[in-house]
Amino acid sequence: MAAAALSVIGTMVFCAVVVAFMMLTVRPKPGTDPRTITEAAQKYARRIGMVALGTALWLPGVLQPVLRETGGELWWDGHYAFSSAVVQLGAPTVFALAVLAAGELTWPRPRGTVRTARLEHRGVRALIPRYMTGLACIFLAYNLLILATTLARDPGSVPARQLLAGWAPWLLLTVAAVAGVLKLISVRPAVPGTAPEADAALRRASAHRVLRTAAAVMLLLASSGGIFLGNYPDPPGLSPAADGLRNLSLPLLFAGILALFKRAPRVPLPEPSAFAGAVPASSPLAVKSLASSLRLTIGGTLLAGVAWIGIFAPNWEYRTAAPLALAAAAGSFTFLCALTEYTSARRIRKHSPAAGPLDPGAYDFVRPPRWLGWTGTAAAALALGTLLGTALLAPSVDRAAQAFAESAANARSGPGAGQPGPVTAPEPFFDWRFALAATLLVLLLPLLTYLVSRKVLARPALPADRDVDLRLRRVALFRLARTSTATCLAAAGLVFFDVSLHSPWAHTYIRDIEVEPPLTWLAPLVQQSNAVASLLLLAAIVVAWRQFGPSHFPDDPRYAERADLSPAQRA
């Protein structure tokens, strides 16, 4: 029990650090253009909402070992108890709402010696979104009907008391947490640099995401209520109304999932700056280079997906299929990046033989942020350290796993059987082919990324379009760093997923079978590997998202500061 609780606490601390890191790295940067500030704030709020919703759906799996050790039942299996509600309903809901609250508290504050604030009354009632509130009320009404029919059928039964004791505290906790976060949204300071209409739209979008997070967990509770009705003891059996609710649970689940995809209200963006029309048109060479980069962003992603499917689909039953498919996708995309840079450099040299390299003073401006490189390095180190640990523990783990498989076979055969049941040979804890593929991937891809990044910095500059040249270099460097970091995160996630998938002794809860060391202390840690793998894979998807990073178009006022423009155009 202590080992399981320790592993869960360590995993939750690790996840809290990752969530805080993600929130701090996507904060809107201070600027002067209202359109740029509003776009950055909208992206920040959207990413915080994604993290909160993913946390609400992911955290119950982290807390599953503790619930198993305490003898509780999983609420999604239709069992209701106070421990199940607190551990697997209350904790994920509060944690997800805490992420949203932290996002509201980390908006940029007004700065300077003289600060202004708008005197405007903001009530919670004006922030509540009608669509998501109605959706949450539908799920709430379904759960209330389940509770009412169960209590009306057999008010003193054990299932009815468990349903009431497990469901009511979580509902009160959720209502209180949602009300608190909505109040925080209404009283927080306005985002500096945004118009009143944009700030009000940001508040409505935040309220929409808060209600969506609560509705998502309530939808899972409604699905569990359908399973609860399906497993209701007979006698006394279900009433006709309860039987109708049980048949309605599955359609309600799928319809609710589709309904949760409703996007938050859009934030109105102010008009671009007045001097944007005075900027001279880009040259044909710049337009061709920009088109090539855009084609790479779209076509390269599609080609990487095709490479992944082409490698993984015919070899999915092998352990090495996932890392090889990941290497094929990342390698093909990096190769296309290098080919695009070579083509652009050749085109520039052909049309402008006297074009010189980029000014060294602009290197710090075009390079991607340092945290992106350090994240990939940390993910690669985590993958290599985990592979080294599995290689060192593999001999003793394989012997203990074989003994556990034999004991499980004897337990299945029964005490009166003359001979033990068939023994299923466990998979080896360490597979050198999988380890070799993952090691080469996390070592060679960053090296290849570094070489291609040097080519990006060394290629000739566009002579008459300095701002376009800076944008293309920033996009290219960020694209390479993003690919390398996302691949290292995905490789680390695959390593943890492989450990969890091929360790059935860690996920078997047969209390009559004793496990030998090192399985006694390793099993609680392996139980958390699946949750860590899902978190790393989610982080890889967020980093690899196409909208995560600089744009091909001038979304940063610092481009105008570095472009060859007259003082009037820079104003």
Side-chain angles (χ1 to χ4, degrees), residues 409-426:
N410 294 331
R412 287 193 299 267
S413 62
Q419 57 182 2
V423 179
T424 303

Side-chain angles (χ1 to χ4, degrees), residues 10 19 49 63 81 142 168 223 277 290 292 472 490 492 518 526:
V19 168
L63 300 173
Y142 179 82
S223 173
L290 187 62
S292 299
L472 291 179
V526 173

Side-chain angles (χ1 to χ4, degrees), residues 31-40 192-195 198 268-271 273:
T32 57
D33 186 14
R35 183 180 180 88
T36 303
I37 296 175
T38 307
E39 286 180 340
T194 58
L269 299 178
E271 294 296 329
S273 301

